[in-house]
Amino acid sequence: MLRKKPHAVLGLPTGSTPIPMYKELVRLHIKEGLDFSHAIFLNLDEYIGLPKTHSQSYYYYMQQYLFTQVNAKAKNIYIPSGIAKDIEKECAKYEDKIRQVGGIDLQVVGIGTNGHIGFCEPGVSLSIATHKATLAQRTRKDNARFFKGDVSQVPTHAISMGLGTVRKAKKIILMANGQKKSQAIYKMLIEPITTHMPASALRLHNNVTILLDKAAAQKLKKAVAPNIKTNRIHINALTALTVTL
Ligand code: F6R
């Protein structure tokens, strides 16, 4: 994407899943001169209450894994502030920013074990914009591993792009690995589209690629992969299964 369109607007996730992607982007920058100086970066979400300097803030994560390692320009980096005084205003400002930069060309997302995208947790509207999200208890438990296993340290709220925001991106890539994601992957693709499974909203988009390792694809492959209404399902060298919706 960046080679074809140096000014691309990239929507980026955090978490453990994309770490190898960031390592590869850094490698491409160092070894092959991939240029990030014109790209615009918008993060999917940020915890409410954590300052930029907190080691678990998503601002800190992005600096650590990408921005300080490549030639990204600070003026092109947008991450909602988790310590903004007026969170509603911060959410509205973020939506405005996305519009001002011409929309997101490529949005990369992970998926929670409960099917969340960003922090759009089960029950949230499939069209919601950037909003103050309440983390599901399951998400807080899953993320306790980043907070020395102490769930009480995991923030209760976040600013998150909404499913409506994500669905406006021109292209979406969802990445998932590990057996713990296999149930959510199965449900998002096979069961009805529902607010109970936020990731199922991606089926309403016409340019989504889902990259899965073997463990995350396990349930899908065994069950009904041929029944998924997709243009292409193929195995490639990098991933166990690529589903193009
Ligand atoms: C992160 C985010 C979350 C994660 C999801 C999976 O910015 O928005 O939705 O993508 O919780 O997290 P990992 O990759 O840590 O399993």
Side-chain angles (χ1 to χ4, degrees):
M1 158 86 51
L2 273 185
R3 291 207 204 281
K4 274 197 215 142
K5 189 174 177 186
H7 291 82
V9 178
L10 304 174
L12 297 175
T14 60
S16 47
T17 311
I19 293 175
M21 173 185 80
Y22 293 126
K23 287 197 172 144
E24 176 60 9
L25 288 174
V26 171
R27 190 195 69 77
L28 287 171
H29 172 67
I30 294 169
K31 300 279 182 214
E32 298 182 22
L34 185 62
D35 182 19
F36 290 80
S37 66
H38 302 292
I40 293 177
F41 306 91
L42 288 150
N43 256 73
L44 193 54
D45 41 21
E46 178 59 286
Y47 285 122
I48 293 179
L50 300 193
K52 286 176 175 181
T53 48
H54 192 289
S55 66
Q56 293 311 322
S57 77
Y58 288 163
Y59 178 91
Y60 193 97
Y61 173 108
M62 290 307 298
Q63 293 294 328
Q64 181 184 6
Y65 287 108
L66 187 67
F67 299 143
T68 57
Q69 314 279 333
V70 299
N71 61 339
K73 293 235 173 84
K75 69 174 175 62
N76 293 339
I77 296 171
Y78 301 99
I79 303 179
S81 168
I83 55 163
K85 283 217 177 72
D86 185 339
I87 295 291
E88 304 304 329
K89 209 165 150 191
E90 183 70 8
C91 294
K93 247 172 59 187
Y94 205 58
E95 283 289 321
D96 284 347
K97 182 49 69 186
I98 297 172
R99 268 192 295 274
Q100 273 166 29
V101 298
I104 297 170
D105 291 307
L106 171 63
Q107 177 68 54
V108 183
V109 298
I111 182 171
T113 56
N114 63 356
H116 73 209
I117 297 289
F119 282 117
C120 298
E121 300 283 20
V124 83
S125 154
L126 302 184
S127 304
I128 196 166
T130 299
H131 62 288
K132 176 179 175 180
T134 304
L135 272 62
Q137 197 50 21
R138 181 160 170 191
T139 300
R140 294 186 68 227
K141 275 195 197 142
D142 284 347
N143 287 5
R145 70 190 193 282
F146 300 116
F147 292 82
K148 299 189 182 129
D150 183 356
V151 72
S152 74
Q153 296 302 306
V154 182
T156 52
H157 294 85
I159 294 179
S160 178
M161 278 188 199
L163 292 167
T165 323
V166 169
R167 283 171 50 206
K168 279 190 201 144
K170 294 179 189 92
K171 178 171 177 60
I172 302 171
I173 294 178
L174 181 148
M175 299 188 301
N177 56 30
Q179 190 264 332
K180 62 183 191 305
K181 300 290 173 69
S182 63
Q183 178 80 354
I185 291 296
Y186 174 87
K187 287 189 167 178
M188 77 165 275
L189 290 171
I190 306 299
E191 293 187 355
I193 296 172
T194 161
T195 57
H196 299 299
M197 178 45 59
S200 65
L202 302 191
R203 282 158 54 197
L204 301 169
H205 193 281
N206 61 9
N207 192 353
V208 183
T209 297
I210 300 172
L211 304 174
L212 306 172
D213 73 352
K214 267 201 186 108
Q218 200 181 31
K219 212 165 180 281
L220 197 62
K221 280 167 82 183
K222 263 196 239 146
V224 275
N227 294 342
I228 307 169
K229 253 182 77 197
T230 66
N231 301 328
R232 281 188 295 143
I233 297 178
H234 64 264
I235 312 278
N236 73 21
L238 279 178
T239 58
L241 185 68
T242 305
V243 181
T244 308
L245 293 181

